[in-house]
Amino acid sequence: MRVNTPVLLFLGLLLFDSIPGLEGATLASIPGVYVFGDSLVDAGNNNYLPFSSRKAIYPPNGIDFPKHIPTGRFCNGKNAADVIAEKFGLPLPPPYLSLLLRKNAREAAAVTGVSFASAGAGIFNSDDQTTGQAIPLSQQLDHWISIHKQLTRKLGSSEAQIHISKSLFVIVIGSNDVLDYNRKLELRQKSNPQQYMQSIADKFKEHLKKVHETGKPRLLIFGVAQLGCTPEKREKNTTIYECNEEVNMFASLYNEALIKMLQQLKEELQSSMTYSYFDIFNSTQDISSNPARYGLADATSACCGRGKLNAESPCLPLPMVRVCSDRTKYLFWDYYGHPTEAGSRVIFDLVSADDSQYMFPLSLSQLVAS
Ligand SMILES: *[C@@H]1O[C@H](CO)[C@@H](O)[C@H](O)[C@H]1NC(C)=O
Ligand SMILES: *[C@@H]1O[C@H](CO)[C@@H](O)[C@H](O)[C@H]1NC(C)=O
């Protein structure tokens, strides 16, 4: 049989397209992706909090999302958790609170994955549990327990355990705790930066132990980014627009404490915990110093905003707020420093590259094959 060139070319493109990662890592399939965290991965849970002011429900948010509507994601399109689920061929994990009154959707999502994340959430409860501004990690875990029950009813206890052990839990949290320390004088007066960052990691450890008691998922845990280099923080450093190095120092200290805590927890659990840590701090530093290498043109200003660095106002439908002309070229979507969909895709390439210096102790393909 004669195979003509266009067919081969077409197949070649398909194959090339289906290989994610810088070094072409091939990923084993996983049954579900469950997401915990803050606004970096919120898929719309906060839309259901009547008292929360932290909601991305206004355009231009969502301008590149299917149907071009704001969904609660602080992004022009898909966020990092969406991109991960998509790369594994799974549906985008819907917000947990959107499922409460939808029995069939809840049963389906219990199996393929749910997002528990909430904008503004922290490892500490802060005052969110009482003010209803956000769903802190402790409460996100309660929501997971309820999905876990649903999963057990549906699959039976032993199948559910197997399902969880093969699933990926993506946890992106900690930024709000670090920023709280930066903002609140009373916290600074009580503890020095090392002590406080250690106390966040200690609290996180308690939460992770709870997760472990419900099953042994594969954990993908993000550190915190260069929080001193968001468009907002740079804009505040008038005239020179450099990063706020003190905030970066807090973020680094937290990441150091987190990395040690994870190693210790794995030892305490006699290696029955499977995890990998993604170093978003050093990876975004690398992207910021070489945006072109990652196909970006701008890794300092916000795509959506107003004024200097487009960081003098949040991304809201206000006069004067503008959206950058090429949204695929910006790392940051808004002044808070949430990445664009393009930014999240660049980050995913660094998460999934087999030789990534930013993922340890396991590469993503090792984590999902473990
Ligand atoms: C402004 O940038 C300089 C240079 O990086 C840095 O040393 C300083 O801490 C920054 N100041 C503020 C307020 O962020
Ligand atoms: C991040 O980069 C700094 C400076 O290059 C380096 O000293 C540090 O070890 C890196 N952090 C990690 C966790 O690899």
Side-chain angles (χ1 to χ4, degrees), residues 98-140:
S98 74
L99 300 169
L100 296 185
L101 301 173
R102 295 158 60 221
K103 188 165 176 288
N104 293 342
R106 189 168 72 241
E107 280 193 350
V111 178
T112 56
V114 176
S115 174
F116 304 96
S118 161
I123 291 167
F124 286 127
N125 288 343
S126 189
D127 44 10
D128 292 325
Q129 221 154 14
T130 44
T131 60
Q133 280 289 332
I135 309 163
L137 187 56
S138 60
Q139 215 176 337
Q140 294 183 29

Side-chain angles (χ1 to χ4, degrees), residues 8-139:
L8 281 178
L9 273 180
F10 180 64
L11 282 175
L13 282 176
L14 276 181
L15 285 173
F16 184 73
D17 223 354
S18 67
I19 297 170
L22 296 179
E23 296 304 316
T26 314
L27 297 170
S29 70
I30 53 168
V33 170
Y34 302 83
V35 183
F36 301 81
D38 55 30
S39 57
L40 290 163
V41 286
D42 188 351
N45 276 306
N46 278 23
N47 301 1
Y48 298 86
L49 300 181
F51 303 112
S52 178
S53 55
R54 302 172 190 148
K55 299 178 190 177
I57 47 174
Y58 304 103
N61 288 297
I63 189 170
D64 297 314
F65 199 75
K67 297 189 188 147
H68 312 287
I69 46 164
T71 57
R73 290 168 174 81
F74 288 76
C75 187
N76 60 312
K78 292 172 185 155
N79 66 32
D82 296 326
V83 170
I84 291 172
E86 192 183 75
K87 295 280 183 181
F88 282 104
L90 292 165
L92 306 188
Y96 171 79
L97 293 180
S98 74
L99 300 169
L100 296 185
L101 301 173
R102 295 158 60 221
K103 188 165 176 288
N104 293 342
R106 189 168 72 241
E107 280 193 350
V111 178
T112 56
V114 176
S115 174
F116 304 96
S118 161
I123 291 167
F124 286 127
N125 288 343
S126 189
D127 44 10
D128 292 325
Q129 221 154 14
T130 44
T131 60
Q133 280 289 332
I135 309 163
L137 187 56
S138 60
Q139 215 176 337

Side-chain angles (χ1 to χ4, degrees), residues 233 237 240 242-245:
K233 289 283 185 293
N237 202 339
I240 52 168
E242 294 280 347
C243 303
N244 180 322
E245 293 305 338

Side-chain angles (χ1 to χ4, degrees), residues 108-181:
V111 178
T112 56
V114 176
S115 174
F116 304 96
S118 161
I123 291 167
F124 286 127
N125 288 343
S126 189
D127 44 10
D128 292 325
Q129 221 154 14
T130 44
T131 60
Q133 280 289 332
I135 309 163
L137 187 56
S138 60
Q139 215 176 337
Q140 294 183 29
L141 294 181
D142 293 341
H143 293 164
W144 155 242
I145 305 267
S146 125
I147 288 294
H148 180 273
K149 283 194 185 124
Q150 177 114 37
L151 198 59
T152 306
R153 269 199 304 275
K154 182 161 174 160
L155 303 179
S157 176
S158 69
E159 272 304 308
Q161 283 313 307
I162 294 170
H163 180 89
I164 296 165
S165 71
K166 292 185 182 304
S167 292
L168 185 66
F169 278 29
V170 178
I171 311 180
V172 182
I173 199 157
S175 301
N176 292 310
D177 302 280
V178 173
L179 290 172
D180 262 358
Y181 182 77

